[in-house]
Amino acid sequence: MSQTQVLGGSATLTNKRRAHEFDWSIGDARALLQLDAQEWDHLSEESLVENPFYARSYLLAGLGRVERKAGKRALVMRSPGAGIVGLFPFRNFGIAPFNVARGAANIYQASGAPLIHRRHGARVIAQFVDLLAAGRIAPLFILRHIDMSSVFATSLMQEARRAGLIVEETHRYDRPKLTRMEGGFDSHIDTVLSRSRAKDLQRNLRRLKEIGTVSFERVDCPEAVDRRLEEFLRIEHSGWKGARGTSFLANSRHAAFARLAYGGTAGLSVIDSLLLDGKPIAVSINMASGATNFTPKCAYDESYKRFSPGLLLEYFVIKAFYEDKRWEQMDSATGIQDHIIGGFWNDTMPMADLALAPDTVRGRLAVATHRQTLNGISIAKTIRDGYCRRG
């Protein structure tokens, strides 16, 4: 299901001075590797919308491991006084003149919001839209996993309306997020969790305590992060993902990516663990970015499945969130509409993919082709799901 809008205005550059306010360039993977590390890291820290998936350590960890270098591109905007003020990673698909720029994403990325310096946000977004309208990047640009309630999405839609871009929303879903409620942790549990689920959690916790000492651990120092990351990889590989060949350790390149992206040297990870006699039986990998803590990966030891260790860990994560004031919210970093975590967290944010194109013949053709591709995928998925149900 998609929603298409043609936002009124001219598809030409409406403000020549503003369109060239920042120096801009489009480079390939090699250019990404050569970007100034300090400027990139500073941009991540000062980004209008927090996105650790475009942080330098995370994005570069994926190159040549979980995604090809070929076709990798990035629109980079610079200010003489501030360095990099905008970073829009993407990948080219198709053949000119109908190639598509799709926001960079691998199977482990859950946000496609570009990194935009907060002090230059409106002007960077305006220039990005003007470049799109003028056909300077691609006839179609797709941004994936965008929080439609964010200041970036609001500003982007306003600028797209000014420039007369075609905007199509697809893959809409609600992503769980955790925010603090008045009354604290106890109020959260009483209000958000159903009575039956709360009783199940307490019963499983009592049963687990009967066989050993149960504790919660949060680590963020590099050495401890590396140690718990290895425990996470082992636990994940010992379960159903390992059996299906989709765990990190099932593929050496993916394992290398995990160690680079989530390891202590990356400086992003905060790892939570549910311990039984000091041994992790459930592990959650979080990535901290500004005021938000993202939770992209978790795993539990399936030999303790009867105690629901993953859900017990989530219970302690929520408790820690209310006690640890470093973050204002937690982002579940999931693309699943009805994720089980939704029954534990108290809020959601509206997510969507955004396809943007100038209202020209080439732009309309690119949008139509994109829509047909999505319809084909949807039909194939329906057939596949129907076959699986019959089987």
Side-chain angles (χ1 to χ4, degrees):
M1 192 73 178
S2 63
Q3 178 178 335
T4 306
Q5 304 176 56
V6 179
L7 304 179
S10 171
T12 61
L13 288 174
T14 58
N15 187 326
K16 206 171 218 180
R17 183 198 64 78
R18 180 164 65 177
H20 296 282
E21 180 172 356
F22 301 113
D23 296 330
W24 65 277
S25 62
I26 296 176
D28 58 11
R30 182 179 300 179
L32 268 174
L33 292 166
Q34 293 173 349
L35 286 180
D36 185 277
Q38 188 173 359
E39 289 186 7
W40 191 341
D41 291 344
H42 179 68
L43 179 64
S44 292
E45 294 169 1
E46 297 296 324
S47 185
L48 183 68
V49 174
E50 296 145 344
N51 184 5
F53 302 98
Y54 281 174
R56 179 174 56 88
S57 56
Y58 195 95
L59 195 64
L60 296 185
L63 289 179
R65 296 179 181 88
V66 295
E67 57 180 315
R68 303 185 310 276
K69 291 184 180 180
K72 190 79 168 187
R73 299 285 187 272
L75 167 66
V76 182
M77 295 187 194
R78 288 185 173 86
S79 169
I84 304 174
V85 294
L87 181 64
F88 296 73
F90 64 92
R91 181 178 294 282
N92 270 344
F93 292 88
I95 302 173
F98 297 110
N99 59 300
V100 174
R102 189 188 304 273
N106 59 52
I107 61 175
Y108 303 118
Q109 284 179 314
S111 175
L115 299 183
I116 298 172
H117 198 292
R118 65 178 74 247
R119 289 207 308 270
H120 306 279
R123 290 171 293 158
V124 169
I125 294 169
Q127 182 162 329
F128 170 66
V129 167
D130 283 337
L131 291 171
L132 282 178
R136 305 298 294 275
I137 305 174
L140 179 66
F141 199 107
I142 301 170
L143 292 160
R144 304 189 61 200
H145 298 296
I146 300 299
D147 175 5
M148 295 303 295
S149 65
S150 68
V151 63
F152 166 69
T154 301
S155 182
L156 179 66
M157 296 298 279
Q158 290 174 347
E159 289 298 329
R161 183 175 297 108
R162 171 189 62 80
L165 293 183
I166 301 170
V167 180
E168 183 157 308
E169 293 182 37
T170 60
H171 296 123
R172 289 189 293 261
Y173 64 96
D174 290 327
R175 174 183 289 179
K177 73 174 180 179
L178 179 63
T179 57
R180 288 188 182 85
M181 298 178 61
E182 292 186 11
F185 174 69
D186 290 338
S187 176
H188 182 107
I189 296 301
D190 292 341
T191 304
V192 179
L193 266 67
S194 66
R195 182 171 297 181
S196 60
R197 173 162 283 176
K199 286 183 176 180
D200 286 342
L201 285 172
Q202 292 301 326
R203 180 172 60 252
N204 285 327
L205 184 57
R206 287 194 301 270
R207 291 169 58 209
L208 194 58
K209 286 180 176 180
E210 290 173 0
I211 63 174
T213 301
V214 178
S215 58
F216 171 79
E217 174 196 72
R218 169 166 286 175
V219 298
D220 55 13
C221 69
E223 297 79 9
V225 165
D226 286 339
R227 184 170 63 254
R228 290 309 185 208
L229 175 58
E230 291 303 319
E231 293 282 1
F232 165 83
L233 295 174
R234 178 189 61 78
I235 290 172
E236 183 194 52
H237 190 61
S238 68
W240 65 269
K241 284 192 175 182
R244 291 187 181 181
T246 59
S247 66
F248 281 113
L249 291 181
N251 185 307
S252 60
R253 289 184 292 109
H254 287 231
F257 162 77
R259 292 183 173 111
L260 286 171
Y262 304 123
T265 56
L268 297 171
S269 294
V270 178
I271 298 185
D272 295 333
S273 302
L274 179 68
L275 307 179
L276 180 62
D277 290 334
K279 175 185 175 183
I281 60 172
V283 181
S284 175
I285 297 177
N286 312 314
M287 293 196 300
S289 181
T292 304
N293 199 11
F294 295 75
T295 64
K297 303 298 293 183
C298 60
Y300 65 89
D301 189 331
E302 293 184 9
S303 62
Y304 295 94
K305 185 176 181 178
R306 65 188 184 279
F307 300 105
S308 300
L311 298 183
L312 286 176
L313 175 59
E314 198 56 45
Y315 174 87
F316 285 109
V317 165
I318 296 171
K319 188 172 188 293
F321 172 72
Y322 278 90
E323 295 170 349
D324 190 337
K325 305 300 183 182
R326 283 181 288 178
W327 302 291
E328 297 175 4
Q329 64 178 7
M330 293 187 71
D331 183 327
S332 62
T334 177
I336 300 174
Q337 174 73 36
D338 297 315
H339 196 279
I340 191 170
I341 205 173
F344 282 70
W345 290 13
N346 63 314
D347 206 350
T348 61
M349 46 190 170
M351 305 294 294
D353 290 358
L354 289 177
L356 302 102
D359 189 15
T360 61
V361 172
R362 192 167 69 143
R364 289 192 293 270
L365 281 173
V367 170
T369 301
H370 173 60
R371 190 182 305 120
Q372 288 177 348
T373 301
L374 290 178
N375 288 339
I377 293 172
S378 178
I379 291 170
K381 184 177 185 300
T382 300
I383 294 173
R384 183 199 66 196
D385 291 348
Y387 174 80
C388 290
R389 283 193 293 270
R390 288 194 299 272

